[in-house]
Amino acid sequence: DTGVSQDPRHKITKRGQNVTFRCDPISEHNRLYWYRQTLGQGPEFLTYFQNEAQLEKSRLLSDRFSAERPKGSFSTLEIQRTEQGDSAMYLCASSLDGGAGFSSGNTIYFGEGSWLTVV
Amino acid sequence: AQTVTQSQPEMSVQEAETVTLSCTYDTSENNYYLFWYKQPPSRQMILVIRQEAYKQQNATENRFSVNFQKAAKSFSLKISDSQLGDTAMYFCAFMKHGGAGGTSYGKLTFGQGTILTVHP
């Protein structure tokens, strides 16, 4: 399967623990996005990368959240000192798009998401 | 900032019938894209249809078509000949084009979603 893959698919953790999610985008895609989705709501943008550069971070991304894409391929999203409010599905997505500063509206492909439950 | 509003939390339709899902948005941008995504239960989100704001012609994709009214900032999705496999949450989404005078890296702004159930 050559789609966007995420791991783990489900994670239950105790409050205060750290968790890390991994995303492998479609191989030739230069853009990678992280979104958060709570039950019954639409996804909310967290951050994105153009190759290895993290170009924008949402205000939703507190200091406890950090994302990396070290070689412009896979990405990790780490949440430190988890809180119950962090319980959500974390979606990764990728796309192939053109130069900096604009979008051609090319299709963004989503992974199946990583469900996080903080107890 | 852009906002996307889907005013129908839930819709239902009989198999083979037609249903229309509503979406309105607010933006000061002139160049942008609009999308409908489908998210089946416990499955990944997939693109249903896409519309470029500078195109007056409404996009169609097999049984799916849109009614894009730029002045009214309305973007509805029509599903014809509904099938059981169409049962899903449907999200309307906005992406600005960026370019001269602004930047965009393809960030999507989603509505709250509409749960569509197709009954046999």
Side-chain angles (χ1 to χ4, degrees):
Chain A
D1 183 65
T2 57
V4 179
S5 63
Q6 294 188 242
D7 183 70
R9 294 291 317 284
H10 298 89
K11 178 75 176 178
I12 300 174
T13 191
K14 291 183 178 179
R15 189 175 55 187
Q17 297 294 304
N18 299 343
V19 296
T20 299
F21 299 111
R22 176 181 169 121
C23 171
D24 287 274
I26 294 172
S27 59
E28 65 269 23
H29 285 185
N30 54 356
R31 292 183 180 171
L32 185 146
Y33 313 83
W34 285 99
Y35 287 79
R36 182 170 70 188
Q37 185 179 18
T38 52
L39 276 174
Q41 298 297 314
E44 296 173 294
F45 169 79
L46 292 179
T47 188
Y48 61 69
F49 294 83
Q50 176 92 7
N51 300 311
E52 67 276 7
Q54 187 175 18
L55 294 179
E56 186 176 338
K57 293 194 290 185
S58 162
R59 293 172 195 167
L60 294 174
L61 218 61
S62 74
D63 291 345
R64 297 183 297 104
F65 289 71
S66 63
E68 294 182 346
R69 194 183 183 198
K71 297 182 180 178
S73 56
F74 74 92
S75 174
T76 58
L77 176 68
E78 181 184 17
I79 309 173
Q80 297 181 325
R81 304 181 304 283
T82 52
E83 302 173 355
Q84 287 186 325
D86 297 332
S87 295
M89 181 163 68
Y90 291 85
L91 287 165
C92 179
S94 70
S95 69
L96 178 64
D97 215 318
F102 72 92
S103 174
S104 301
N106 290 347
T107 300
I108 295 179
Y109 295 87
F110 284 83
E112 295 191 27
S114 292
W115 277 103
L116 173 64
T117 302
V118 182
V119 296
Chain B
Q2 292 76 33
T3 58
V4 178
T5 302
Q6 294 178 248
S7 58
Q8 305 154 316
E10 294 186 45
M11 295 281 284
S12 63
V13 65
Q14 293 295 125
E15 200 174 4
E17 297 291 305
T18 296
V19 64
T20 299
L21 308 184
S22 301
C23 172
T24 58
Y25 58 94
D26 189 25
T27 184
S28 58
E29 302 285 332
N30 191 46
N31 293 326
Y32 51 87
Y33 307 92
L34 294 164
F35 305 86
W36 279 97
Y37 275 87
K38 167 185 176 181
Q39 188 176 41
S42 303
R43 302 281 300 277
Q44 69 195 111
M45 187 136 23
I46 57 174
L47 179 65
V48 174
I49 198 165
R50 156 195 161 165
Q51 175 80 41
E52 291 139 333
Y54 66 87
K55 288 187 176 179
Q56 293 185 336
Q57 186 174 7
N58 289 324
T60 62
E61 195 70 47
N62 301 315
R63 298 183 295 108
F64 299 87
S65 62
V66 299
N67 183 5
F68 173 49
Q69 303 287 329
K70 189 173 184 180
K73 296 181 181 175
S74 169
F75 183 62
S76 61
L77 174 70
K78 185 170 83 171
I79 306 174
S80 304
D81 186 25
S82 297
Q83 300 175 359
L84 297 178
D86 295 333
T87 292
M89 182 84 126
Y90 286 80
F91 291 100
C92 178
F94 172 100
M95 178 196 295
K96 68 177 183 178
H97 175 271
T103 59
S104 172
Y105 289 96
K107 180 175 70 176
L108 288 164
T109 300
F110 287 89
Q112 308 93 315
T114 297
I115 299 172
L116 175 67
T117 303
V118 181
H119 297 286

